[in-house]
Each structure stands twice: as structure tokens, then as C-alpha cells.
Amino acid sequence: MAKSKVRLFLAVIVLALSLAVLIWAFWPLVRESRVLPIPPADLQLPTPETFFPGLRMYF
Amino acid sequence: MNKRHFLLFLAGLVLAGVIQACSAAAYGPPPGTEGAGPEEPAAPAATQIFPATPTAVALLEPTALPAIPEQRRLTLEWPPTIRAGDADVIRLTLEVDEMGNLTPTAEIEGHAISGETVSIPNLYETHNVIAEARLDMAGVIVTPAGQVSEPLLPGKPVTFYWSVRPAEMGRYRGTVWLYLRFIPKEGGEEMRRTLSAQVIEIQAVTLFGLTAGPARFAGTVGSFVGAVLGFPFIDDVFRWLWRKLKR
């Protein structure tokens, strides 16, 4: 009787642990996203101002 | 200081004031555009002359640089946490922002023209635009490695995908680069512009030192072993449950 109880206890523990590991291994990952607006001014041809933003104050 | 010098000084002051006023009028913002947002690239570049009579308007050809007449949106999607040994995808999309699409206009209140479209040379007509992207992340297997490119077409989104696989537990930092390459259709020098460089961080985790693959294996084997160990007692469990439900 005691032997069967130990066996049942072991079965429950092993099953619970294994299921926990399986859940961790298959749990879908959280995804993060970042949205950045790109104005048309950033889609222009590069100008000297884009290389040296400080030039803007002189023109 | 005699009277003549004083008069000369006064005349100089008046002249300086007039020059200052003229230069402020010439380089200052045109009236009615103070509230304009930064997304009006044509307004400062377009050359327009407004004579004293408001009904007669003369417009010169604008000397604006070619531009892409679209407002776009850059979306970067990544997993902040990955199981070590597992692979996941990082996605970078440059799409047209439907809400932000704009037509550059010059509007002069109280004058003859209102809401007139300013013609900016379309960059798509003069250049082939290529979007190039790269993911730099040390310690992680990145596929595809190096630079990937895709043509940027009017109104069409471009999407880049990378598969990342951290082999070991740890915190990995990387940079997602996006460039635009302008190739003149009629030949000439290519130009490149960095559109964005975004830093991302990915944490690779393990379960008590177990990476994803071994954890799945251990979980499957353990479940099988647990089921086999518990199988002889299943009828006992059902009987106990049946008794519990009957009460």
C-alpha cells in the first residue's frame, strides 16, 4: 500500500513538473513594437544640412 | 560733436533700421504660414512673388529638391524576451501612413491664391529608391546576416525580417539600421541617407539552465514517464472522483 502511494506521489510530481516545463517551452513570446513617423522631409535627397544640422542656422 | 555729425549719425541709424526691416521681410516666414507644421517641405523652398495688388499673382517655378510625397511610418517589432536556443523574428516595416498623407500647399490669406498645390519634383520619377536595412547584434545568430535591400515603390510598404537565435542566456543589445539609397535614373552619383538607427534589447532566458530544446525534450519524456507511473492508479482516481461527484 505504501509502495503504491509513493508511486502515485512520484507520478503526480513528475507529471506536474514535466507539464510546467512543457508550458514554459511552448508559451508564446511577448512582442514589443515601436512606431516612428517618418515625415517627407526625412525622405528627401540628402543635403548638406542633413550632414551638418548646425548649418541650418546660417541659411 | 557738431550738428552736421549728429545729422549724419541720425541718417546712419535710419538707414540701418531700414536695412534690418527689409532683411526681416525677405527672410522671415511668409504671412499665414506661422501655424504650418514641420511636414510642409515645399513652403520654404518654393519661390513666390506676391505683388501689391492681391488679384494679380505671379508664381515662379519652385526650386524645391525632389522629395517623396508621402508620409511614412516605421514600425519595428521584436521580442524583448526569448528562450535561449529558440529563434524568433524581428520585423521592420516602412509603410505609408494613410492618415499622414499630405499634399504640400501654399495658402496666403487675403490674396488671390488659396490652397494652391506647390509642385515638388517627385523623387520616384527622377530616382530609383532602395530601402536597405541591417541588424547588428553581437552574440546572437542573425539570419540574414549583413545588409538586405528592397526597392521602395510609391505607396507600397517594405518589410524586412530577421531571425534571431541566442544560443546562451544573457542580455543582448543590437541596432536596427535603415538607409535609403537614391540612384538617379539618368545616371550620376548615388546618394545614401540614414533614416533610422534603433537600439533594441533582447533577453535570452533559460529554465534552471535548460534551454528551449532540452526543456521540450525533458517535458515530453517527463510527461510520458509520469503518465506511465500513474497509469495503474487511473481507475482508482476515477473511482474516487465518481464517489466525490455522487455525494
Side-chain angles (χ1 to χ4, degrees):
Chain A
M1 189 67 186
K3 201 177 173 184
S4 64
K5 269 192 175 173
V6 169
R7 191 173 163 177
L8 181 63
F9 177 75
L10 266 177
V12 168
I13 291 293
V14 168
L15 206 60
L17 279 176
S18 305
L19 286 176
V21 169
L22 274 180
I23 287 170
W24 176 82
F26 285 106
W27 196 260
L29 297 170
V30 178
R31 297 189 68 79
E32 208 168 289
S33 72
R34 191 187 291 159
V35 181
L36 210 70
I38 307 282
D42 285 354
L43 299 169
Q44 275 183 338
L45 287 174
T47 55
E49 276 182 44
T50 57
F51 299 118
F52 304 104
L55 280 179
R56 192 184 289 264
M57 60 189 287
Y58 297 109
F59 295 103
Chain B
M1 189 188 284
N2 59 23
K3 196 178 173 185
R4 193 171 161 229
H5 283 151
F6 179 71
L7 281 174
L8 273 173
F9 175 70
L10 213 61
L13 268 183
V14 170
L15 194 64
V18 168
I19 288 169
Q20 181 67 29
C22 286
S23 64
Y27 296 109
T33 58
E34 285 88 354
E39 284 101 13
E40 284 189 284
T47 313
Q48 298 181 352
I49 295 170
F50 299 102
T53 50
T55 46
V57 176
L59 277 173
L60 290 182
E61 277 298 305
T63 55
L65 272 174
I68 292 174
E70 294 167 339
Q71 166 106 15
R72 289 202 170 234
R73 189 176 51 211
L74 188 65
T75 309
L76 177 65
E77 203 182 306
W78 79 98
T81 310
I82 300 185
R83 287 176 286 265
D86 248 2
D88 210 330
V89 170
I90 294 177
R91 188 168 67 100
L92 180 72
T93 310
L94 181 63
E95 58 198 330
V96 177
D97 191 350
E98 298 296 339
M99 302 304 288
N101 213 346
L102 49 89
T103 309
T105 56
E107 193 170 333
I108 283 65
E109 211 175 316
H111 284 78
I113 64 159
S114 173
E116 194 79 14
T117 305
V118 175
S119 64
I120 302 170
N122 193 339
L123 199 56
Y124 289 126
E125 288 168 5
T126 56
H127 291 70
N128 287 318
V129 187
I130 312 282
E132 294 179 334
R134 195 179 76 234
L135 170 63
D136 292 336
M137 191 174 270
V140 175
I141 302 163
V142 178
T143 315
Q147 201 152 278
V148 276
S149 54
E150 219 177 290
L152 186 70
L153 300 170
K156 295 273 190 291
V158 285
T159 308
F160 299 98
Y161 292 97
W162 292 276
S163 171
V164 286
R165 183 193 293 271
E168 289 171 10
M169 191 179 85
R171 195 177 282 267
Y172 301 94
R173 297 191 94 193
T175 311
V176 183
W177 295 87
L178 180 66
Y179 307 96
L180 284 186
R181 194 148 60 94
F182 304 99
I183 306 166
K185 284 183 177 171
E186 293 172 359
E189 201 184 336
E190 284 184 23
M191 277 176 270
R192 201 180 194 218
R193 181 175 193 147
T194 308
L195 206 57
S196 88
Q198 297 188 59
V199 176
I200 55 169
E201 197 172 273
I202 293 176
Q203 189 166 9
V205 291
T206 57
L207 185 72
F208 307 117
L210 274 179
T211 57
R216 281 189 198 110
F217 181 74
T220 310
V221 170
S223 301
F224 180 74
V225 169
V228 167
L229 278 175
F231 190 73
F233 306 104
I234 283 180
D235 55 337
D236 290 343
V237 172
F238 278 125
R239 222 175 289 146
W240 177 78
L241 270 175
W242 180 248
R243 258 184 272 135
K244 200 94 171 156
L245 283 171
K246 257 183 125 179
R247 271 182 210 164

Coordinates of all heavy atoms in Angstrom, one line a residue, chain A residues 4-5 7-8 10-11 14-15 18-19 21-22 24-47 50, chain B residues 39 65 67-68 70 72-81 83 88-89 123 180 182 193 195 198-199 207 215-216 219 222-223 226-227 229-230 232-233:
Chain A
S4 N 2.6 1.7 -3.4 CA 1.8 2.3 -4.4 C 1.5 3.8 -4.2 O 1.4 4.6 -5.1 CB 0.4 1.5 -4.5 OG -0.3 1.7 -3.2
K5 N 1.5 4.2 -2.9 CA 1.3 5.6 -2.6 C 2.5 6.4 -3.0 O 2.3 7.5 -3.6 CB 1.0 5.8 -1.1 CG -0.4 5.7 -0.7 CD -0.6 6.2 0.7 CE -2.1 6.2 1.0 NZ -2.4 6.5 2.4
R7 N 4.5 5.6 -5.4 CA 4.5 5.6 -6.8 C 3.5 6.7 -7.4 O 3.8 7.4 -8.3 CB 4.1 4.2 -7.3 CG 4.3 4.0 -8.8 CD 4.0 2.6 -9.2 NE 3.9 2.6 -10.6 CZ 3.7 1.4 -11.3 NH1 3.6 0.3 -10.7 NH2 3.5 1.5 -12.6
L8 N 2.4 6.7 -6.7 CA 1.4 7.7 -7.2 C 1.9 9.1 -6.9 O 1.7 10.0 -7.8 CB 0.1 7.5 -6.4 CG -1.1 8.4 -6.7 CD1 -1.5 8.2 -8.2 CD2 -2.3 8.2 -5.8
L10 N 5.0 10.1 -6.8 CA 6.1 10.3 -7.8 C 5.5 10.7 -9.2 O 5.9 11.6 -9.9 CB 7.0 9.1 -7.9 CG 8.2 9.1 -7.1 CD1 9.0 7.7 -7.3 CD2 9.1 10.2 -7.5
A11 N 4.4 9.9 -9.5 CA 3.8 10.1 -10.8 C 3.2 11.5 -10.9 O 3.4 12.3 -11.9 CB 2.7 9.1 -11.0
V14 N 6.2 14.1 -11.1 CA 6.9 14.1 -12.4 C 6.0 14.7 -13.5 O 6.4 15.5 -14.3 CB 7.3 12.6 -12.7 CG1 7.7 12.5 -14.2 CG2 8.4 12.2 -11.9
L15 N 4.7 14.3 -13.4 CA 3.8 14.8 -14.4 C 3.6 16.4 -14.3 O 3.7 17.1 -15.3 CB 2.4 14.2 -14.2 CG 1.6 14.1 -15.5 CD1 2.3 13.3 -16.6 CD2 0.2 13.4 -15.1
S18 N 6.9 18.1 -15.4 CA 7.0 18.0 -16.9 C 6.1 18.9 -17.6 O 6.4 19.5 -18.6 CB 6.8 16.5 -17.3 OG 7.6 15.7 -16.6
L19 N 4.8 18.9 -17.1 CA 3.9 19.8 -17.8 C 4.3 21.3 -17.6 O 4.1 22.1 -18.5 CB 2.5 19.6 -17.2 CG 1.8 18.3 -17.6 CD1 0.5 18.1 -16.9 CD2 1.6 18.3 -19.1
V21 N 7.3 22.4 -17.4 CA 8.4 22.7 -18.3 C 7.9 22.8 -19.7 O 8.3 23.7 -20.5 CB 9.5 21.5 -18.2 CG1 10.5 21.6 -19.3 CG2 10.2 21.6 -16.8
L22 N 7.0 21.9 -20.1 CA 6.4 22.0 -21.4 C 5.7 23.3 -21.7 O 5.8 23.9 -22.7 CB 5.4 20.8 -21.6 CG 6.0 19.5 -22.1 CD1 5.0 18.5 -22.3 CD2 6.8 19.7 -23.4
W24 N 6.3 26.2 -20.2 CA 7.3 27.2 -20.3 C 7.9 27.2 -21.7 O 8.1 28.2 -22.4 CB 8.4 27.0 -19.3 CG 9.5 28.0 -19.4 CD1 9.6 29.3 -19.0 CD2 10.8 27.8 -20.1 NE1 10.7 29.9 -19.3 CE2 11.5 29.0 -20.0 CE3 11.3 26.7 -20.8 CZ2 12.8 29.1 -20.6 CZ3 12.6 26.9 -21.4 CH2 13.3 28.1 -21.3
A25 N 8.2 26.0 -22.2 CA 8.9 25.8 -23.5 C 8.0 26.2 -24.7 O 8.5 26.6 -25.7 CB 9.4 24.4 -23.7
F26 N 6.7 26.1 -24.5 CA 5.8 26.4 -25.7 C 5.0 27.7 -25.5 O 4.2 28.0 -26.4 CB 4.8 25.2 -25.9 CG 5.5 24.0 -26.6 CD1 5.8 22.9 -25.8 CD2 5.8 24.1 -27.9 CE1 6.4 21.8 -26.4 CE2 6.4 23.0 -28.5 CZ 6.7 21.8 -27.8
W27 N 5.2 28.4 -24.4 CA 4.4 29.6 -24.1 C 4.8 30.7 -25.2 O 6.0 30.9 -25.4 CB 4.8 30.1 -22.7 CG 3.8 31.1 -22.3 CD1 3.9 32.5 -22.3 CD2 2.5 30.9 -21.8 NE1 2.8 33.1 -21.8 CE2 1.9 32.1 -21.5 CE3 1.7 29.7 -21.5 CZ2 0.6 32.2 -20.9 CZ3 0.5 29.8 -20.9 CH2 -0.1 31.0 -20.7
P28 N 3.8 31.2 -25.9 CA 4.2 32.3 -26.9 C 4.9 33.5 -26.3 O 4.5 33.9 -25.2 CB 2.8 32.6 -27.5 CG 1.8 32.1 -26.6 CD 2.4 31.0 -25.7
L29 N 5.8 34.0 -27.0 CA 6.6 35.1 -26.5 C 5.9 36.4 -26.7 O 5.2 36.6 -27.7 CB 8.0 35.1 -27.3 CG 8.9 33.9 -27.1 CD1 10.1 34.0 -28.0 CD2 9.4 33.9 -25.6
V30 N 6.1 37.3 -25.8 CA 5.6 38.6 -25.9 C 6.3 39.4 -26.9 O 7.6 39.3 -27.0 CB 5.6 39.3 -24.5 CG1 5.1 40.7 -24.6 CG2 4.9 38.5 -23.4
R31 N 5.6 40.2 -27.7 CA 6.3 41.0 -28.7 C 6.1 42.5 -28.4 O 5.1 42.9 -27.9 CB 5.8 40.7 -30.1 CG 6.1 39.3 -30.5 CD 5.8 39.0 -31.9 NE 6.6 39.7 -32.8 CZ 7.9 39.3 -33.1 NH1 8.3 38.2 -32.6 NH2 8.6 39.9 -34.0
E32 N 7.1 43.3 -28.7 CA 7.1 44.7 -28.4 C 7.2 45.4 -29.8 O 7.8 44.9 -30.7 CB 8.3 45.1 -27.5 CG 8.0 46.3 -26.7 CD 9.1 46.5 -25.6 OE1 9.1 45.7 -24.7 OE2 9.9 47.4 -25.8
S33 N 6.5 46.5 -29.9 CA 6.6 47.3 -31.2 C 6.8 48.8 -30.9 O 6.4 49.3 -29.9 CB 5.4 47.0 -32.1 OG 4.3 47.7 -31.6
R34 N 7.5 49.4 -31.8 CA 7.9 50.8 -31.7 C 7.5 51.4 -33.1 O 8.0 50.9 -34.1 CB 9.3 50.9 -31.5 CG 9.8 52.3 -31.1 CD 11.3 52.4 -31.0 NE 11.8 51.6 -29.8 CZ 13.1 51.2 -29.8 NH1 13.9 51.4 -30.8 NH2 13.5 50.5 -28.8
V35 N 6.7 52.4 -33.0 CA 6.2 53.1 -34.3 C 6.9 54.5 -34.4 O 6.8 55.3 -33.4 CB 4.7 53.2 -34.4 CG1 4.2 53.9 -35.7 CG2 4.1 51.8 -34.3
L36 N 7.4 54.8 -35.5 CA 8.2 56.0 -35.7 C 7.6 56.7 -36.9 O 7.7 56.2 -38.0 CB 9.6 55.7 -35.9 CG 10.7 56.7 -35.4 CD1 10.7 56.7 -33.9 CD2 12.0 56.2 -35.9
P37 N 7.0 57.9 -36.8 CA 6.5 58.6 -38.0 C 7.7 59.2 -38.8 O 8.7 59.7 -38.2 CB 5.6 59.7 -37.5 CG 6.0 59.9 -36.1 CD 6.7 58.7 -35.6
I38 N 7.7 59.0 -40.1 CA 8.8 59.5 -41.0 C 8.2 60.6 -41.8 O 7.4 60.3 -42.8 CB 9.4 58.4 -41.8 CG1 9.8 57.2 -41.0 CG2 10.5 58.9 -42.7 CD1 11.1 57.3 -40.3
P39 N 8.5 61.8 -41.6 CA 7.9 62.9 -42.4 C 8.6 63.0 -43.8 O 9.7 62.5 -43.9 CB 8.2 64.2 -41.6 CG 9.4 63.8 -40.7 CD 9.3 62.3 -40.4
P40 N 7.9 63.5 -44.8 CA 8.5 63.6 -46.1 C 9.9 64.3 -46.1 O 10.7 64.0 -47.0 CB 7.5 64.4 -46.9 CG 6.2 64.2 -46.2 CD 6.6 64.1 -44.8
A41 N 10.1 65.2 -45.2 CA 11.4 65.9 -45.1 C 12.6 64.9 -44.9 O 13.7 65.1 -45.4 CB 11.4 66.9 -44.0
D42 N 12.3 63.8 -44.2 CA 13.3 62.8 -44.0 C 13.5 61.9 -45.2 O 14.4 61.1 -45.2 CB 12.9 61.9 -42.8 CG 13.2 62.7 -41.5 OD1 13.7 63.8 -41.5 OD2 12.8 62.2 -40.4
L43 N 12.6 62.0 -46.1 CA 12.7 61.1 -47.3 C 13.2 61.9 -48.5 O 13.2 61.4 -49.6 CB 11.3 60.5 -47.7 CG 10.6 59.7 -46.6 CD1 9.2 59.4 -46.9 CD2 11.4 58.4 -46.4
Q44 N 13.8 63.0 -48.3 CA 14.3 63.8 -49.3 C 15.8 63.4 -49.6 O 16.4 62.6 -48.9 CB 14.4 65.3 -48.9 CG 13.1 66.0 -49.2 CD 13.2 67.5 -48.9 OE1 14.1 67.9 -48.1 NE2 12.4 68.3 -49.4
L45 N 16.3 63.9 -50.7 CA 17.7 63.7 -51.0 C 18.5 64.3 -49.9 O 18.2 65.3 -49.4 CB 18.1 64.3 -52.3 CG 17.6 63.6 -53.6 CD1 17.9 64.5 -54.8 CD2 18.1 62.2 -53.8
P46 N 19.6 63.6 -49.6 CA 20.5 64.2 -48.5 C 21.0 65.6 -49.0 O 21.5 65.8 -50.1 CB 21.6 63.2 -48.3 CG 21.5 62.3 -49.4 CD 20.2 62.4 -50.1
T47 N 21.0 66.5 -48.1 CA 21.5 67.9 -48.3 C 22.6 68.1 -47.3 O 22.8 67.4 -46.3 CB 20.4 68.9 -48.1 OG1 19.9 68.7 -46.8 CG2 19.3 68.8 -49.1
T50 N 21.7 67.9 -43.7 CA 21.5 66.6 -43.1 C 22.8 66.1 -42.5 O 22.8 65.3 -41.6 CB 20.9 65.6 -44.0 OG1 21.7 65.4 -45.1 CG2 19.5 66.0 -44.5
Chain B
E39 N 5.8 69.3 -41.5 CA 5.7 68.5 -42.6 C 5.2 69.2 -43.9 O 4.3 68.8 -44.6 CB 4.7 67.3 -42.4 CG 5.2 66.2 -41.5 CD 4.8 66.4 -40.1 OE1 3.8 67.2 -39.9 OE2 5.3 65.7 -39.2
L65 N 13.9 70.7 -53.8 CA 14.6 69.5 -54.0 C 13.6 68.4 -54.3 O 12.5 68.4 -53.8 CB 15.4 69.1 -52.8 CG 16.8 69.6 -52.7 CD1 17.3 69.2 -51.3 CD2 17.7 69.1 -53.7
A67 N 11.5 65.2 -53.7 CA 11.1 64.6 -52.5 C 10.1 63.5 -52.7 O 9.4 63.5 -53.7 CB 10.5 65.7 -51.5
I68 N 10.0 62.6 -51.7 CA 9.0 61.6 -51.8 C 7.7 62.2 -51.2 O 7.7 62.6 -50.0 CB 9.4 60.3 -51.0 CG1 10.6 59.7 -51.8 CG2 8.3 59.4 -50.9 CD1 11.2 58.5 -51.1
E70 N 5.1 61.4 -49.7 CA 4.4 60.5 -48.8 C 4.9 60.7 -47.4 O 6.0 61.0 -47.1 CB 4.6 59.1 -49.2 CG 4.2 58.7 -50.5 CD 4.7 57.3 -50.9 OE1 5.8 56.9 -50.4 OE2 4.1 56.7 -51.8
R72 N 5.5 58.5 -44.2 CA 5.6 57.1 -44.0 C 5.7 56.8 -42.5 O 5.9 57.8 -41.7 CB 6.8 56.5 -44.7 CG 6.5 56.5 -46.2 CD 7.3 55.5 -46.9 NE 6.9 55.3 -48.3 CZ 6.6 54.1 -48.8 NH1 6.7 53.0 -48.1 NH2 6.3 54.0 -50.1
R73 N 5.6 55.6 -42.1 CA 5.6 55.2 -40.7 C 6.5 54.0 -40.6 O 6.4 53.0 -41.4 CB 4.2 54.8 -40.3 CG 4.0 54.6 -38.8 CD 2.6 54.4 -38.5 NE 2.0 53.3 -39.3 CZ 0.7 53.3 -39.7 NH1 -0.1 54.2 -39.4 NH2 0.3 52.3 -40.4
L74 N 7.4 54.0 -39.7 CA 8.4 52.9 -39.5 C 8.0 52.1 -38.2 O 7.9 52.7 -37.2 CB 9.8 53.5 -39.3 CG 10.9 52.5 -39.3 CD1 11.1 51.9 -40.6 CD2 12.2 53.3 -39.0
T75 N 7.7 50.8 -38.4 CA 7.3 50.0 -37.3 C 8.4 48.9 -37.1 O 8.7 48.2 -38.0 CB 5.9 49.3 -37.6 OG1 5.0 50.4 -38.0 CG2 5.4 48.7 -36.4
L76 N 8.8 48.9 -35.9 CA 9.8 47.8 -35.5 C 9.2 46.9 -34.5 O 8.6 47.4 -33.5 CB 11.1 48.5 -35.0 CG 12.2 47.6 -34.5 CD1 12.7 46.8 -35.6 CD2 13.3 48.4 -33.8
E77 N 9.2 45.6 -34.7 CA 8.6 44.7 -33.8 C 9.6 43.6 -33.5 O 10.2 43.1 -34.4 CB 7.4 44.0 -34.6 CG 6.3 43.5 -33.7 CD 5.2 42.8 -34.5 OE1 4.7 43.5 -35.3 OE2 5.0 41.6 -34.2
W78 N 9.8 43.4 -32.2 CA 10.8 42.4 -31.7 C 10.3 41.8 -30.4 O 9.5 42.4 -29.7 CB 12.1 43.1 -31.6 CG 12.3 43.9 -30.4 CD1 13.0 43.5 -29.2 CD2 11.8 45.3 -30.1 NE1 12.9 44.5 -28.3 CE2 12.2 45.6 -28.8 CE3 11.1 46.2 -30.9 CZ2 11.9 46.8 -28.2 CZ3 10.8 47.4 -30.3 CH2 11.2 47.7 -29.0
P79 N 10.9 40.6 -30.1 CA 10.5 40.0 -28.8 C 11.5 40.5 -27.8 O 12.8 40.3 -27.9 CB 10.7 38.5 -29.1 CG 11.7 38.5 -30.2 CD 11.6 39.7 -31.0
P80 N 11.1 41.1 -26.7 CA 12.1 41.5 -25.7 C 12.7 40.4 -24.9 O 13.7 40.5 -24.3 CB 11.2 42.4 -24.7 CG 9.8 42.2 -25.1 CD 9.7 41.5 -26.4
T81 N 12.0 39.2 -24.9 CA 12.5 38.1 -24.2 C 12.4 36.8 -25.1 O 11.3 36.6 -25.8 CB 11.7 37.8 -22.9 OG1 11.6 39.0 -22.2 CG2 12.3 36.7 -22.1
R83 N 13.5 32.5 -25.3 CA 14.1 31.4 -24.6 C 15.4 31.1 -25.3 O 15.5 31.1 -26.6 CB 13.2 30.2 -24.8 CG 11.9 30.2 -23.9 CD 11.0 29.1 -24.1 NE 10.4 29.2 -25.4 CZ 9.2 29.7 -25.6 NH1 8.5 30.1 -24.6 NH2 8.6 29.7 -26.8
D88 N 13.4 33.6 -33.0 CA 12.2 34.5 -33.2 C 12.5 35.5 -34.3 O 13.7 35.6 -34.7 CB 11.8 35.1 -31.9 CG 10.3 35.4 -31.8 OD1 9.7 35.6 -32.9 OD2 9.7 35.4 -30.7
V89 N 11.5 36.2 -34.6 CA 11.6 37.1 -35.8 C 11.6 38.6 -35.3 O 10.8 39.0 -34.4 CB 10.4 36.8 -36.7 CG1 10.4 37.9 -37.8 CG2 10.6 35.5 -37.4
L123 N 10.4 62.4 -56.3 CA 11.7 61.7 -56.3 C 11.6 60.3 -57.0 O 12.6 59.8 -57.5 CB 12.1 61.5 -54.8 CG 13.6 61.2 -54.5 CD1 14.5 62.2 -55.1 CD2 13.8 61.1 -53.0
L180 N 18.2 54.8 -46.9 CA 17.6 55.0 -48.2 C 18.7 55.3 -49.2 O 19.6 56.1 -48.9 CB 16.6 56.1 -48.2 CG 15.2 55.9 -47.5 CD1 14.3 57.1 -47.8 CD2 14.5 54.6 -48.0
F182 N 19.5 56.5 -53.0 CA 18.9 57.1 -54.2 C 19.8 57.0 -55.4 O 20.9 57.4 -55.4 CB 18.7 58.6 -53.9 CG 17.9 58.9 -52.6 CD1 18.5 59.2 -51.4 CD2 16.5 58.9 -52.6 CE1 17.8 59.5 -50.3 CE2 15.8 59.1 -51.5 CZ 16.4 59.4 -50.3
R193 N 21.1 57.8 -47.4 CA 20.7 58.6 -46.3 C 20.3 57.6 -45.2 O 19.6 56.7 -45.4 CB 19.5 59.4 -46.7 CG 19.0 60.3 -45.6 CD 17.8 61.2 -46.0 NE 17.6 62.1 -44.9 CZ 17.2 63.4 -45.1 NH1 17.0 63.8 -46.3 NH2 17.0 64.2 -44.1
L195 N 18.1 56.6 -42.4 CA 16.7 57.0 -42.0 C 16.5 56.8 -40.5 O 15.9 57.6 -39.8 CB 15.7 56.2 -42.8 CG 14.3 56.8 -43.0 CD1 14.5 58.2 -43.6 CD2 13.5 55.9 -43.8
Q198 N 17.8 52.2 -34.6 CA 17.0 52.0 -33.4 C 17.7 50.9 -32.5 O 18.1 49.8 -33.1 CB 15.6 51.5 -33.7 CG 14.8 52.6 -34.4 CD 13.4 52.2 -34.6 OE1 12.7 52.0 -33.6 NE2 12.9 52.1 -35.8
V199 N 17.9 51.2 -31.3 CA 18.5 50.2 -30.4 C 17.5 49.3 -29.8 O 16.4 49.8 -29.3 CB 19.3 51.0 -29.3 CG1 19.9 50.0 -28.3 CG2 20.4 51.8 -29.9
L207 N 15.4 27.9 -18.2 CA 14.6 27.4 -17.1 C 15.5 26.5 -16.3 O 15.8 25.4 -16.7 CB 13.3 26.7 -17.5 CG 12.4 26.2 -16.4 CD1 11.7 27.4 -15.8 CD2 11.4 25.2 -17.0
A215 N 14.5 21.6 -22.8 CA 13.3 21.7 -22.0 C 12.1 21.0 -22.6 O 11.4 20.3 -21.9 CB 13.0 23.2 -21.7
R216 N 12.0 21.2 -23.9 CA 10.8 20.5 -24.6 C 11.0 19.0 -24.5 O 10.1 18.2 -24.3 CB 10.8 20.9 -26.0 CG 10.1 22.3 -26.2 CD 9.8 22.7 -27.6 NE 9.6 24.1 -27.6 CZ 10.4 25.0 -28.1 NH1 11.5 24.6 -28.8 NH2 10.1 26.3 -28.1
G219 N 10.4 17.8 -21.0 CA 9.0 17.9 -20.7 C 8.2 16.8 -21.3 O 7.3 16.2 -20.6
G222 N 9.2 13.5 -19.5 CA 8.7 13.5 -18.1 C 7.2 13.3 -18.1 O 6.7 12.5 -17.3
S223 N 6.5 13.8 -19.1 CA 5.1 13.6 -19.1 C 4.7 12.1 -19.4 O 3.8 11.6 -18.8 CB 4.4 14.5 -20.2 OG 4.7 15.8 -20.0
G226 N 5.6 10.2 -16.2 CA 4.6 10.5 -15.2 C 3.3 9.7 -15.5 O 2.6 9.2 -14.6
A227 N 2.9 9.7 -16.8 CA 1.7 9.0 -17.2 C 1.8 7.5 -17.0 O 0.9 6.9 -16.5 CB 1.4 9.3 -18.7
L229 N 3.8 6.0 -14.8 CA 3.8 5.8 -13.4 C 2.4 5.9 -12.8 O 2.1 5.1 -11.9 CB 4.7 6.8 -12.7 CG 6.2 6.5 -12.7 CD1 7.0 7.7 -12.0 CD2 6.5 5.3 -11.9
G230 N 1.7 6.8 -13.3 CA 0.3 7.0 -12.7 C -0.7 6.1 -13.3 O -1.9 6.1 -12.8
P232 N -1.5 2.8 -13.4 CA -2.2 1.8 -12.6 C -3.2 2.4 -11.7 O -4.1 1.8 -11.2 CB -1.1 1.1 -11.9 CG 0.1 1.4 -12.6 CD -0.1 2.7 -13.2
F233 N -3.0 3.7 -11.4 CA -3.9 4.3 -10.4 C -5.1 5.1 -11.1 O -5.8 5.7 -10.4 CB -3.1 5.3 -9.5 CG -2.0 4.6 -8.8 CD1 -0.7 4.8 -9.3 CD2 -2.2 3.7 -7.8 CE1 0.4 4.1 -8.7 CE2 -1.1 3.0 -7.2 CZ 0.2 3.3 -7.7

